[in-house]
Amino acid sequence: MDFELNEEQQLFRRTLREFVDKEIVPVASEWERTGRYPTEIVEGFGRMGLFGITIPEEYGGLALDRVSFALVFEEIARGWMGVAGVLGSHSLASWMIARYGTDEQKDAYLPDLATGARRTGIALTEPAAGTDLQGIQTRAVRDGDHYVINGTKTWITNARHADPMPVLVKTSLTDPAHRGMSLILVEAGTPGYTVSRDLPKLGYKGTETCEIVLQDVRVPVSALLGGTEGRGMQQALSALELGRVNIAARAVGLSQCAYDAALSYSRERHAFGQPISGFQAVQLKLADMATDIQAARLLTYWAAVRSESGAVNSEAAMAKYFASEVALRATMEAMRIHGGYGYSQEFVLERLYRDAPLMAIGEGTNDIQRMVIARSLISGSAKVGW
């Protein structure tokens, strides 16, 4: 049992950290406030090969081990959680195509997805169907050698840049519903695919989050992911397991940034004739934050390692649940240490505090994670201890 990163992972983390400190940290707060799209940062992702982190080497990807995958999102979120979303949805959709796509789909999309020449995302959620994906209303009706898609998707990252966009649809009405659900790859520019609006958000800025409308969108039958109907729910849920590792890692990175800011401020801020780090009340907050963050990091890396061998339903759920709750606590405690300055946009804490809640919602709410964990324990598919 080794709790250290290997040499390759350490080098990779240093490279990521240098990029984040140089290209992201200096501009994050200003660009977030002004709503500026982080074009230069996204281009940097491409130069570093980060669009290919879940794509096999034979298609030009990096095919990262899962701990290195987690490191990508931890380090980027430490700089600006919002821009990590550009890679998050892309990486999960690329993984789905690599894992489930036909040979023709892999050849057509993966090489360009690996370089960032193409980007992608995942269109799952609908206005009336989030946690309950089986309740989606988007339909794809077979018409000869095409499907005709009609429906609305919401909270979609990379909506304007995705090419293709995997869209979860119902190809047939069955009971249970998941047996009639499929993923269809819709290419950019397909008539009837429209980004109807950008959704206003508390945080998670820097990446677009949109509503998309699909009206009589015609795509060839060859666009069905994997070529077999009725597999979409299984394909989406398996990607979301990996997505929970991604979210857990982002939560760790965000929490680390909050802790670093709080520790630094506590050393510099003086009150009653001494640095506030000398007061026991502040020391206890720092100790709690540090312990929580390190526990979340180790749980996230454990889930990442476990994911190498297959399904990690409970492990990924534990990591995502715990790390996101840590992010909520850490940002609040860091804000308290900053006092009034923590509420000011002149300090980073205000942004971190707004970004943290999404970690408890995205990739399945924390209540759902707790249900996943409990059911795994009760069924015997997971256990606590060795």
Side-chain angles (χ1 to χ4, degrees):
M1 186 179 295
D2 188 354
F3 290 98
E4 298 294 331
L5 301 177
N6 62 38
E7 290 186 10
E8 185 175 348
Q9 291 165 340
Q10 290 179 32
L11 176 60
F12 184 60
R13 183 180 62 181
R14 284 198 296 272
T15 302
L16 287 168
R17 188 161 293 179
E18 289 171 2
F19 171 78
V20 169
D21 288 342
K22 180 180 179 182
E23 305 293 338
I24 298 180
V25 171
V27 300
S29 293
E30 179 185 352
W31 289 7
E32 200 253 13
R33 281 196 298 270
T34 60
R36 185 186 189 284
Y37 190 78
T39 300
E40 295 87 344
I41 295 173
V42 174
E43 290 173 350
F45 292 162
R47 290 192 300 272
M48 295 178 68
L50 297 182
F51 284 107
I53 60 178
T54 59
I55 295 175
E57 292 179 353
E58 63 189 281
Y59 295 101
L62 294 181
L64 290 184
D65 66 87
R66 292 295 170 78
V67 171
S68 296
F69 169 86
L71 288 172
V72 169
F73 293 100
E74 178 183 342
E75 288 299 323
I76 292 174
R78 182 181 60 82
W80 185 4
M81 196 282 290
V83 297
V86 174
L87 282 180
S89 295
H90 172 93
S91 299
L92 301 192
S94 296
W95 179 86
M96 284 197 308
I97 295 171
R99 174 75 178 271
Y100 299 112
T102 64
D103 290 340
E104 291 76 13
Q105 290 166 347
K106 294 176 185 179
D107 291 339
Y109 297 125
L110 291 181
D112 282 346
L113 290 173
T115 64
R118 288 179 184 260
R119 283 189 252 161
T120 186
I122 309 178
L124 305 179
T125 303
E126 298 185 4
T131 297
D132 179 19
L133 284 179
Q134 294 191 73
I136 66 168
Q137 299 298 311
T138 300
R139 291 290 313 279
V141 178
R142 183 77 178 258
D143 181 22
D145 58 356
H146 284 75
Y147 287 105
V148 180
I149 307 174
N150 283 280
T152 301
K153 296 290 183 178
T154 194
W155 297 108
I156 309 304
T157 301
N158 291 339
R160 288 190 178 85
H161 297 89
D163 185 19
M165 173 69 81
V167 179
L168 187 66
V169 302
K170 287 184 176 176
T171 44
S172 61
L173 300 179
T174 61
D175 187 15
H178 68 83
R179 293 181 179 173
M181 297 170 68
S182 305
L183 279 163
I184 294 180
L185 306 175
V186 179
E187 293 192 344
T190 301
Y193 177 98
T194 306
V195 176
S196 57
R197 66 189 181 110
D198 289 87
L199 299 173
K201 299 170 293 183
L202 173 69
Y204 190 48
K205 300 179 181 181
T207 186
E208 59 192 355
T209 306
C210 304
E211 183 175 85
I212 61 176
V213 175
L214 301 106
Q215 184 172 1
D216 295 329
V217 173
R218 293 181 64 87
V219 296
V221 171
S222 60
L224 178 67
L225 183 63
T228 302
E229 290 186 2
R231 304 284 178 83
M233 189 67 162
Q234 171 195 353
Q235 293 163 347
L237 290 180
S238 64
L240 289 177
E241 286 187 9
L242 180 59
R244 287 166 187 155
V245 175
N246 153 20
I247 294 294
R250 283 198 237 177
V252 171
L254 188 152
S255 300
Q256 183 70 50
C257 184
Y259 168 79
D260 289 343
L263 178 62
S264 176
Y265 183 82
S266 73
R267 289 167 170 166
E268 297 168 359
R269 174 70 170 177
H270 283 66
F272 304 102
Q274 65 173 316
I276 63 172
S277 60
F279 295 111
Q280 189 178 63
V282 172
Q283 294 172 356
L284 295 179
K285 292 183 189 303
L286 291 171
D288 288 345
M289 290 168 64
T291 303
D292 272 354
I293 293 166
Q294 194 61 1
R297 177 175 286 112
L298 292 175
L299 191 58
T300 298
Y301 293 177
W302 170 68
V305 170
R306 292 282 292 158
S307 73
E308 297 278 9
S309 59
V312 286
N313 216 12
S314 61
E315 293 95 329
M318 287 179 180
K320 188 270 184 187
Y321 164 50
F322 184 77
S324 60
E325 293 292 331
V326 166
L328 290 170
R329 293 196 296 270
T331 52
M332 172 54 84
E333 291 304 287
M335 183 175 284
R336 285 173 167 158
I337 290 173
H338 278 72
Y341 287 117
Y343 204 64
S344 168
Q345 289 187 343
E346 294 179 346
F347 286 71
V348 73
L349 253 300
E350 180 267 347
R351 169 165 57 85
L352 301 178
Y353 182 74
R354 288 185 291 104
D355 279 346
L358 183 63
M359 302 296 91
I361 298 170
E363 247 70 329
T365 67
N366 280 359
D367 283 342
I368 290 296
Q369 305 312 312
R370 293 160 70 193
M371 291 170 62
V372 167
I373 296 164
R375 288 171 179 172
S376 297
L377 295 172
I378 293 167
S379 70
S381 61
K383 65 178 182 179
V384 176
W386 303 110

